[in-house]
Amino acid sequence: MGYYDDQTSSSNRHKRPGWIMPTFVGLILGAVLIVLALPALIQSNILPYDLSSQDNEDQVQASEEEDTPTTESVNLDVTTQVTEVVSEVQEAVVGVVKIRESSGLIQEQPSSGEAGTGSGVIYKKEQDKAYIVTNNHVVQGADRIEVSLIDGSRIEAELVGADPYTDLAVLTVDGSKVNKVIDIGDSSKVKVGEPAMAIGSPLGLMFAGSVTKGIISGKQRAIPQDFNGDGRMDWQAEVMQTDAAINPGNSGGALINIKGQLIGINSMKIAKSAVEGIGFAIPINNAVPIMEDIEEDGEVTRPFMGIGAVSLSEVPRSQQREVLGLPSDVKGGVVIDNVQTASPAGQVGLQQYDVITELDGKEILSIVDLRKHLYKNKNVGDEMSVTFYRDGQKQDVTMKLSNQSY
């Protein structure tokens, strides 16, 4: 019995540890499964309690912020550099109204076009006067001129002088009515592609103070101009091109840069159904000397030859040979039609039908070339060499330029 009992006891001792190992393995497997499943359980919010540490909480929160869009109230400040600049400059841009008097009755031109209204820019205030620059074509033919200020009030303006070649005119008004003067910029530093804003009164005073924004599209554009309406080019205006909208009534208004400085005087646009966004402004660096000349004595003084002339291209080719006797290698020039007595041209003996081909050694192909050389490169009192053909013979003279006012 003892042997049996001992065997039984020994067998039991060997069998008891059998449940421990499976239990231990089960616990390990369960722990592993829990560890693997825990993130999914937490993300699914199945667990009724939070098992994560504070660090894990921060990580989960950061993850949730990245994955879940949030709604936030934002206060927007719509004030920009453009709005600030416009608010500073707008008061210096005015409406210009041309008034004609007929049979004792005042007849104001319609406000729906440049013929009756335009724009102007207050650029100077001195003592009791304020000075306004506008376009010559805005005030041309006016019996009286009024200026409309930003508050809608209208005051009388006096025409100091005008210049058809640059299409500029200067007005003065009572300085006590004016509070703002525009800053003059430097148009030589303007770059193609930089922002530009046009301010004026398109289509009349109803839209006074209108602002359009664009860029500088080009510099030193040469635009032909016909002053007398005969279909012939009398001059080439040197202008800046912009795509800021310029409409009838904007003429004479301000073209400003992003700093609010005046860089041009809006002057014209290409008005065709197939064309959009091609407007032009007189560069302020070109305008200022003319404005100062007008301020000084009401006139623009330019060097004067004393001839009436047409471009050689306007003379039939048969007459170029038969009447003028020009050699076949002469392709362009200016034909003298008349010479004023006692003028510089008259004093050096120039005659009708002489054909000018060079000034100071520079080729002259048309009347526009002659005017550009005379008005841009010469001053009153300067000497100028003239190369011309008379009866087929090439000759040279030197004249001393006098002055002529416009």
Side-chain angles (χ1 to χ4, degrees):
M1 290 294 294
Y3 180 80
Y4 179 81
D5 290 338
D6 288 340
Q7 285 286 77
T8 302
S9 247
S10 175
S11 175
N12 289 338
R13 284 196 300 269
H14 287 287
K15 287 180 179 179
R16 283 173 191 158
W19 62 269
I20 297 176
M21 184 60 68
T23 302
F24 180 72
V25 172
L27 290 173
I28 292 175
L29 290 175
V32 171
L33 290 174
I34 291 173
V35 170
L36 294 175
L38 186 60
L41 294 173
I42 293 174
Q43 188 172 2
S44 301
N45 292 322
I46 294 175
L47 294 179
Y49 47 84
D50 189 357
L51 299 178
S52 61
S53 63
Q54 184 62 42
D55 290 340
N56 288 335
E57 287 179 357
D58 294 340
Q59 292 174 1
V60 171
Q61 183 178 1
S63 176
E64 289 176 349
E65 288 176 352
E66 291 176 359
D67 296 338
T68 306
T70 59
T71 302
E72 182 180 357
S73 296
V74 178
N75 293 323
L76 296 177
D77 183 2
V78 298
T79 301
T80 66
Q81 187 173 359
V82 171
T83 58
E84 291 173 355
V85 164
V86 169
S87 66
E88 284 292 319
V89 172
Q90 235 171 353
E91 191 174 348
V93 182
V94 298
V96 177
V97 183
K98 176 169 65 177
I99 299 174
R100 286 179 178 163
E101 297 178 356
S102 177
S103 302
L105 297 176
I106 297 177
Q107 296 181 341
E108 184 178 327
Q109 297 296 311
S111 61
S112 59
E114 291 183 5
T117 62
S119 306
V121 186
I122 304 170
Y123 68 91
K124 180 180 178 181
K125 187 175 178 181
E126 192 172 79
Q127 297 176 354
D128 60 343
K129 291 183 179 180
Y131 290 79
I132 298 169
V133 60
T134 185
N135 286 146
N136 171 68
H137 74 259
V138 170
V139 298
Q140 190 173 26
D143 294 314
R144 289 198 301 111
I145 302 170
E146 289 184 354
V147 165
S148 176
L149 303 177
I150 192 171
D151 61 1
S153 62
R154 286 165 62 158
I155 57 177
E156 289 284 339
E158 179 183 348
L159 177 64
V160 179
D163 176 46
Y165 285 97
T166 55
D167 195 23
L168 292 170
V170 173
L171 313 173
T172 57
V173 295
D174 182 357
S176 66
K177 306 292 185 179
V178 171
N179 299 316
K180 179 66 180 179
V181 174
I182 203 165
D183 291 331
I184 303 293
D186 185 351
S187 56
S188 69
K189 295 181 179 179
V190 170
K191 296 181 180 179
V192 174
E194 76 170 74
M197 289 163 281
I199 307 178
S201 304
L203 305 182
L205 300 181
M206 179 186 301
F207 300 110
S210 292
V211 181
T212 55
K213 183 176 179 293
I215 61 171
I216 299 297
S217 305
K219 298 173 63 177
Q220 296 180 328
R221 302 298 198 206
I223 305 300
Q225 293 191 295
D226 177 12
F227 296 138
N228 54 16
D230 62 359
R232 298 175 180 175
M233 180 173 63
D234 297 309
W235 184 246
Q236 277 188 321
E238 183 180 310
V239 291
M240 293 188 299
Q241 180 186 338
T242 179
D243 68 347
I246 295 176
N247 295 291
N250 272 120
S251 291
L255 187 70
I256 62 173
N257 60 19
I258 199 65
K259 295 180 180 179
Q261 297 170 329
L262 183 65
I263 56 173
I265 305 300
N266 298 324
S267 183
M268 65 189 88
K269 65 176 290 185
I270 294 181
K272 294 182 179 180
S273 59
V275 177
E276 270 188 45
I278 301 183
F280 302 101
I282 303 163
I284 195 61
N285 286 23
N286 294 0
V288 166
I290 302 299
M291 291 151 56
E292 292 174 345
D293 203 356
I294 292 174
E295 283 180 41
E296 187 174 346
D297 55 13
E299 299 175 325
V300 177
T301 302
R302 290 193 172 96
F304 174 64
M305 292 178 65
I307 62 172
V310 296
S311 298
L312 180 62
S313 60
E314 298 174 21
V315 178
R317 188 166 293 276
S318 59
Q319 293 187 15
Q320 292 182 22
R321 302 275 193 300
E322 298 170 6
V323 178
L324 303 177
L326 288 174
S328 59
D329 61 344
V330 176
K331 303 302 182 183
V334 172
V335 182
I336 296 178
D337 181 59
N338 61 78
V339 179
Q340 295 182 24
T341 305
S343 68
Q347 291 175 358
V348 298
L350 288 178
Q351 301 175 11
Q352 185 183 41
Y353 299 150
D354 287 347
V355 181
I356 298 172
T357 57
E358 293 181 11
L359 296 177
D360 293 327
K362 296 181 180 179
E363 187 178 37
I364 301 298
L365 298 177
S366 67
I367 189 67
V368 173
D369 288 345
L370 183 146
R371 287 171 178 158
K372 287 178 70 174
H373 181 79
L374 192 63
Y375 298 159
K376 292 188 175 183
N377 300 328
K378 311 301 291 187
N379 296 310
V380 174
D382 287 351
E383 289 190 344
M384 182 175 70
S385 65
V386 181
T387 300
F388 65 97
Y389 283 85
R390 178 182 297 166
D391 298 326
Q393 300 298 313
K394 188 176 182 179
Q395 302 182 42
D396 294 283
V397 294
T398 298
M399 68 174 66
K400 187 174 182 178
L401 298 169
S402 62
N403 68 299
Q404 182 180 39
S405 298
Y406 296 84

